[in-house]
Amino acid sequence: MTALSQRVSQSAFDGSRLRVVLLLDLHEGEQQQFLEAYDHLRDHVAAVPGHLSDQLCQSFENPSQWLVTSEWQDAPSFLAWVNSEEHVETVKPMSRCVREMRSLRYSVLRETGRSCTEMPERSKDGLQVSPRLGDGVVRHALTFTVRPGSEQTVANILAGYTSPAAQVDEHTRLCRTSLFMHGNRVVRTIEVQGDLLAALRHVARQPEIRAVEEAINPYLEQDRDLDDPQSARLFFTRAALPAVHHMTTDGLELAGTTRHALYYQAKEGCGMALARLLAHQDEAAANHPHNSITSSTVFQRDDIVVRLLDVRGRLDAHPCLSFGVDTERQKTSLARLLDHGANDGTSGSTHEVALHPAVPSSPWPCEMQLITDRCASPES
């Protein structure tokens, strides 16, 4: 059996410290305003749980280019902050000065003064134990809600567009886009080989995609103006649904699989814990003799968790494995984290499967409705 580190291409749950690098290109003449906004922000960020340190740097070659680096105790601490509404509001004054921004996130693997031979099997100092082996694909998702009653209209719009060219540049190409709905919530997952930001910009410039985005604008619960860079940036910041864990199972071919998305509404404040539970269970399930999941990606933001699955055979052939639990203890843990019957920001219903069929009140995840699933051909 292949080692676990060879199965996982991305995980926020290995306990390693996180280095975040933010590359910024400012509007000319906004340097002083940006510095003042940063000075106001840094004391607030310093009090965020899990924040360790940060540095602000300015290019001596081009004064409009700035660099912010920060170190965090672990990835979940950073993600809880950067995906919060508090963060969105706090960084608004600073973001108004920014023409272009790029965020890079790295787990700390080695540091000066510590040799590889000194590394324990499980690091106690927040260092990633060993390099991950990925598949060269970056996974990301967006989620937003539409006005109740508009679901079918929006689904028709999102299913009917012409796919953009897959090749972005010599290093980047779109691999796959899958779009699901649960009630009035839309989830769009994106797989990119190469530079995710370059791919997203490429897609946004395509006339067929711009037409779709404009067509769904009247139905969005959160207003946006795509001609206003600040409005568009704010919308997509709030819509971001990051991948916190991905696993591809050894020995199972991707050919002949079907794609599914499961929607989990966590209790308030339990989204990260729920995502961690599902990630750990996916790792354990990889060795199960009845496992038919070839690939699983867990996306999480606040109390919304979405699990994207590629499955051989029927999703409900082994429901406990498919829904992220296998033992009674795991079912109890999942039930404790799920918020059954709460207002989850959706209307309507989709296919639901109870983890405890004999207990109707038990919480359950929902299988989302697949609207469109598009894979780029090798030659496109």
Side-chain angles (χ1 to χ4, degrees):
M1 181 62 67
T2 308
L4 182 62
S5 62
Q6 292 179 292
R7 289 202 298 253
V8 177
S9 61
Q10 180 182 359
S11 181
F13 304 119
D14 63 2
S16 57
R17 298 200 309 272
L18 186 72
R19 172 71 65 182
V20 179
V21 180
L22 195 61
L23 304 173
L24 304 166
D25 189 4
L26 305 187
H27 295 294
E28 195 56 49
E30 297 285 336
Q31 288 87 343
Q32 186 59 41
Q33 292 90 326
F34 175 81
L35 181 58
E36 292 172 358
Y38 174 82
D39 285 340
H40 178 74
L41 172 66
R42 64 178 180 176
D43 292 336
H44 184 85
V45 177
V48 173
H51 176 268
L52 300 177
S53 65
D54 61 78
Q55 286 185 323
L56 174 67
C57 309
Q58 183 181 21
S59 169
F60 66 85
E61 296 174 323
N62 183 349
S64 293
Q65 294 179 345
W66 295 63
L67 169 71
V68 180
T69 65
S70 61
E71 188 167 350
W72 295 77
Q73 180 178 319
D74 52 34
S77 297
F78 170 74
L79 292 172
W81 158 244
V82 78
N83 292 331
S84 68
E85 188 63 27
E86 180 185 14
H87 172 264
V88 171
E89 294 298 325
T90 303
V91 301
K92 272 183 179 179
M94 197 168 72
S95 63
R96 293 189 185 102
C97 306
V98 176
R99 176 168 51 220
E100 187 173 339
M101 176 170 52
R102 180 181 178 84
S103 178
L104 305 172
R105 303 158 187 186
Y106 300 89
S107 296
V108 181
L109 185 67
R110 297 286 186 269
E111 58 187 3
T112 303
R114 194 170 182 82
S115 68
C116 297
T117 57
E118 294 172 333
M119 289 294 295
E121 183 179 354
R122 285 191 176 275
S123 173
K124 297 179 181 179
D125 296 323
L127 299 184
Q128 182 183 318
V129 175
S130 59
R132 302 186 186 101
L133 299 180
D135 55 6
V137 176
V138 182
R139 295 166 175 87
H140 188 62
L142 299 170
T143 185
F144 51 87
T145 55
V146 297
R147 302 184 191 281
S150 68
E151 294 90 347
Q152 190 57 56
T153 299
V154 171
N156 292 340
I157 294 172
L158 294 175
Y161 70 93
T162 302
S163 298
Q167 198 66 38
V168 177
D169 54 41
E170 60 178 322
H171 303 295
T172 302
R173 72 188 307 273
L174 299 169
C175 298
R176 190 169 185 174
T177 300
S178 306
L179 198 141
F180 300 85
M181 292 185 70
H182 164 54
N184 66 328
R185 178 169 295 281
V186 177
V187 172
R188 176 189 291 150
T189 68
I190 306 159
E191 297 176 15
V192 173
Q193 191 172 38
D195 188 335
L196 175 64
L197 186 59
L200 293 177
R201 288 175 175 166
H202 164 79
V203 169
R205 288 193 297 264
Q206 304 308 304
E208 58 270 30
I209 300 301
R210 181 60 183 256
V212 169
E213 296 291 345
E214 293 289 357
I216 66 172
N217 265 351
Y219 307 107
L220 297 176
E221 288 200 312
Q222 179 190 341
D223 293 333
R224 67 179 182 185
D225 180 359
L226 295 177
D227 292 323
D228 179 355
Q230 288 296 328
S231 175
R233 181 182 298 165
L234 186 60
F235 177 87
F236 287 110
T237 297
R238 286 186 168 129
L241 187 66
V244 294
H245 189 85
H246 171 77
M247 188 195 70
T248 301
T249 305
D250 310 318
L252 292 180
E253 298 294 331
L254 290 176
T257 61
T258 56
R259 174 153 286 194
H260 306 266
L262 298 177
Y263 178 89
Y264 302 74
Q265 178 63 38
K267 291 179 179 176
E268 185 176 357
C270 294
M272 187 64 73
L274 175 56
R276 187 192 303 269
L277 172 67
L278 294 172
H280 288 171
Q281 290 312 118
D282 277 345
E283 293 177 6
N287 297 321
H288 197 286
H290 298 302
N291 178 52
S292 60
I293 298 173
T294 64
S295 175
S296 172
T297 306
V298 179
F299 301 92
Q300 181 263 333
R301 181 189 183 92
D302 298 329
D303 297 324
I304 297 171
V305 180
V306 173
R307 190 158 153 262
L308 183 69
L309 304 175
D310 291 320
V311 180
R312 293 185 65 85
R314 291 173 55 89
L315 179 67
D316 57 0
H318 302 285
C320 289
L321 291 176
S322 297
F323 297 131
V325 292
D326 188 28
T327 67
E328 289 301 318
R329 182 178 179 180
Q330 293 159 5
K331 293 176 185 178
T332 301
S333 297
L334 181 58
R336 189 168 56 245
L337 295 171
L338 284 173
D339 191 357
H340 177 56
N343 180 10
D344 61 2
T346 68
S347 65
S349 63
T350 55
H351 179 59
E352 299 173 339
V353 180
L355 295 173
H356 295 282
V359 185
S361 62
S362 174
W364 51 71
C366 300
E367 183 179 359
M368 305 186 76
Q369 177 187 359
L370 177 63
I371 304 301
T372 184
D373 181 28
R374 304 176 182 222
C375 297
S377 59
E379 68 275 4
S380 63

